[in-house]
Amino acid sequence: MNDAVANGYIIPKPTDGFKVGLRTDSTKEGDLHVLSAEKEQVKYFFSDNPEFYVVFNNNSTTGTTSDDYIELKKITGSEHTVNVGNIDNGAVYTDKQVATSGTDIHLTVVPDPGFVLKSLKYFTTNKESATDITESKSFSMPNANVSIMAEFEEGSYWELLSDAMAGENQATVPDVLRVSDDASTGVRTITLLTDITAGTGDSALVVPAGEKVVLDLNGHVLDRGRVEADGTTFSNDHGSVIEVAEGGELTIDDSNKTLEHAGYIDANSLWHLSAENHPIAGTETAKTIKGGIITGGTGGIFDSYSGRTFYGGGGILLRGKLTLNNGNIVGNKTSDDGGGIYSEGTFAMNGGEILYNYCTKSDSRGGGVNNSFGIFTMKDGIIRNNTAGAGGGGILNLGTTDIKAGMIINNEVLQCSPDAGGTGIANYVGTLSLESDDKKEIVVTGNTSTAECDNGAIAILSGTINISGKVLI
């Protein structure tokens, strides 16, 4: 460690993994020492001496060669201190340690893993009359010293993301989420800074009516955690990863397409996220996926009649608007329709991949996408290696599907029946258009059926089909 001079004392500069704190056994008030740091991103340090505060500075002016140093600074008569007390299960950082009356103070809250913020307050003399700033995480400095107190409770990063997507007041959480709001458009952009997995009691992430959300996966994983390791049964019952309500709008981007996520493909062509290959020998194939991932969903309820409940949209259950620009909808399953996405809304696919999703029942349809009386436009991207029981291994259309470019390849249908068909695409009703321009092409190849019948790469059971331009079947 390098030494730096601070108010007459020689104070060691801490190395990574350590911070400066007050020496509790010292007889000299305000003396400092180095101790182990339990919290990351420590930016500020405080002195018990009411005449001084502690600051971690850059560009040392103390005559040392260190770039960073610690200094005790004298508090002037017009300044008041912002003090953060001892806090369990998380940390709170302030953008100003001292400030004059009327100065805006902004706080950053960092929960420990497995915890979420319950309350955030400040007070001057009596903590019983503390002011709640849980939502704003900011306040105007009063004409007095201020103390900050925070309470954390057990929770998950999934809950933080859920609140942010629902439009609730959720600030950026360092190392977890970056949140920004555009007041002119009403769009909230959320960037993942880590992988996030749902807990046992966590619900689907919901974009409610009236909310416009851009979700940047940033190379990370959203895992609902509902798919069993062997791929044959459900864990913790059903549940999509994301639900977009009618009147809600979601855009999915992925600004980091290079991060790799190890996994395996089981005997049902369903992908599983796994750091190591699954130990069931001979039934799986290792497969690494690059870029952001939405996985582990098992579908939400989209209909119920004649005593049967229908589940769809393992990855995304859509009733509003969805735009997929980049990212992977992979490793989701559902008992009924739409292993990757079940849509009753408006879905625009401009890029990304929908792959290795699975519909389990014999009459299930739309292994990749089930467009149920909605509008589906595909301008680019890949829908591949998805599996359905009865029809539409890649896409099932019951509404309007307009494909301008992209690939629907290597999908599969399991059954052979009069109403089954379309290993790549099945049109049951509505209008299916495959019309490319001169610069791009549509590829519908490599789609198969395990049954001993020819389901056809594209099946038209009813409705209208339009084909023009560069279409490879």
Side-chain angles (χ1 to χ4, degrees), residues 391-408:
I395 301 170
L396 176 82
N397 180 53
L398 295 166
T400 300
T401 292
D402 186 6
I403 302 174
K404 298 295 186 184
M407 303 175 73
I408 300 96

Side-chain angles (χ1 to χ4, degrees), residues 72-392:
L72 286 173
K73 286 190 174 182
K74 184 82 170 179
I75 299 173
T76 66
S78 62
E79 293 177 323
H80 303 289
T81 58
V82 181
N83 301 295
V84 179
N86 292 327
I87 298 173
D88 295 326
N89 306 317
V92 177
Y93 305 112
T94 174
D95 65 339
K96 299 178 183 67
Q97 296 170 261
V98 295
T100 56
S101 176
T103 302
D104 288 335
I105 307 297
H106 299 278
L107 304 176
T108 299
V109 177
V110 184
D112 284 348
F115 290 86
V116 296
L117 178 66
K118 181 179 181 180
S119 67
L120 179 66
K121 300 178 180 180
Y122 78 92
F123 64 93
T124 54
T125 57
N126 182 10
K127 65 180 180 180
E128 301 300 326
S129 59
T131 301
D132 190 290
I133 52 172
T134 305
E135 291 192 1
S136 65
K137 298 177 181 60
S138 63
F139 61 93
S140 178
M141 189 72 179
N143 192 26
N145 293 337
V146 164
S147 295
I148 306 297
M149 58 183 185
E151 183 179 0
F152 295 88
E153 61 184 355
E154 290 188 6
S156 69
Y157 292 161
W158 190 270
E159 292 181 31
L160 295 175
L161 177 57
S162 178
D163 289 345
M165 291 183 66
E168 297 181 12
N169 194 333
Q170 175 61 57
T172 290
V173 181
D175 296 328
V176 181
L177 304 173
R178 183 166 60 246
V179 181
S180 62
D181 293 318
D182 188 331
S184 63
T185 62
V187 175
R188 164 167 287 191
T189 299
I190 303 169
T191 303
L192 300 189
L193 304 178
T194 189
D195 297 343
I196 299 180
T197 300
T200 302
D202 289 331
S203 301
L205 303 168
V206 177
V207 180
E211 293 299 324
K212 299 177 181 179
V213 176
V214 175
L215 177 62
D216 181 359
L217 298 174
N218 193 27
H220 293 292
V221 175
L222 278 184
D223 184 4
R224 184 70 197 273
R226 290 297 196 262
V227 178
E228 295 282 10
D230 61 7
T232 60
T233 58
F234 295 117
S235 174
N236 301 320
D237 209 352
H238 298 268
S240 302
V241 183
I242 299 173
E243 294 184 10
V244 183
E246 184 177 359
E249 298 182 23
L250 174 64
T251 299
I252 298 174
D253 275 316
D254 185 20
S255 58
N256 188 341
K257 305 178 187 66
T258 61
L259 286 182
E260 295 186 348
H261 306 285
Y264 64 90
I265 304 166
D266 68 17
N268 296 309
S269 297
L270 177 69
W271 186 83
H272 298 259
L273 178 69
S274 176
E276 298 180 357
N277 196 21
H278 195 256
I280 303 176
T283 64
E284 71 291 318
T285 304
K287 180 66 177 179
T288 296
I289 303 294
K290 288 187 177 182
I293 287 174
I294 294 174
T295 191
T298 52
I301 297 174
F302 68 83
D303 206 349
S304 180
Y305 59 87
S306 300
R308 176 177 170 181
T309 299
F310 294 83
Y311 296 90
I316 299 175
L317 179 58
L318 174 65
R319 293 186 173 93
K321 293 182 179 180
L322 171 66
T323 301
L324 177 62
N325 292 327
N326 290 292
N328 302 281
I329 314 297
V330 56
N332 303 281
K333 65 182 290 186
T334 185
S335 56
D336 296 296
D337 300 337
I341 296 174
Y342 179 90
S343 174
E344 297 175 354
T346 301
F347 174 30
M349 185 174 182
N350 301 322
E353 294 194 37
I354 302 172
L355 67 164
Y356 295 112
N357 302 287
Y358 177 42
C359 298
T360 65
K361 289 187 176 180
S362 60
D363 60 350
S364 62
R365 299 173 176 89
V369 176
N370 186 303
N371 180 36
S372 182
F373 305 100
I375 300 173
F376 174 35
T377 302
M378 184 177 182
K379 295 183 178 179
D380 209 341
I382 303 174
I383 299 175
R384 66 180 177 94
N385 298 99
N386 302 284
T387 304

